[in-house]
Amino acid sequence: MYANVLARSAMRSSTRKVIRSDLYHFENSNGQNIPFNTKNRAGLAIKMTLYLGLGFGAPFLGNLLYFEMES
């Protein structure tokens, strides 16, 4: 019984913090709610290619370095 009361109390205190959404304000226009600029298409393409390419290539580069160290 006490565990149930404590669980409800914990849920109430955690939901009060989540409900408060006035901490951030974003304009309601396209591209204003993301942390990068979409107007410069060439720069965006380069940044996205580097970000996604390095994330995809990291395991392959790690394997390459590992096998180079073995031989």
Side-chain angles (χ1 to χ4, degrees):
M1 180 176 154
Y2 292 114
N4 191 13
V5 172
L6 289 175
R8 286 184 187 178
S9 171
M11 288 298 291
R12 275 190 232 118
S13 66
S14 66
T15 55
R16 286 181 190 150
K17 294 176 187 173
V18 174
I19 291 173
R20 190 177 164 129
S21 65
D22 61 340
L23 298 176
Y24 304 105
H25 177 71
F26 297 108
E27 295 295 326
N28 291 328
S29 59
N30 291 336
Q32 295 295 323
N33 58 345
I34 51 178
F36 48 86
N37 184 12
T38 59
K39 302 292 183 195
N40 184 3
R41 289 187 174 220
L44 179 63
I46 291 170
K47 290 175 190 174
M48 287 182 68
T49 302
L50 285 172
Y51 178 75
L52 297 171
L54 285 173
F56 180 78
F60 297 105
L61 292 172
N63 281 333
L64 179 68
L65 291 173
Y66 177 76
F67 288 127
E68 288 291 325
M69 288 174 56
E70 273 188 357
S71 59

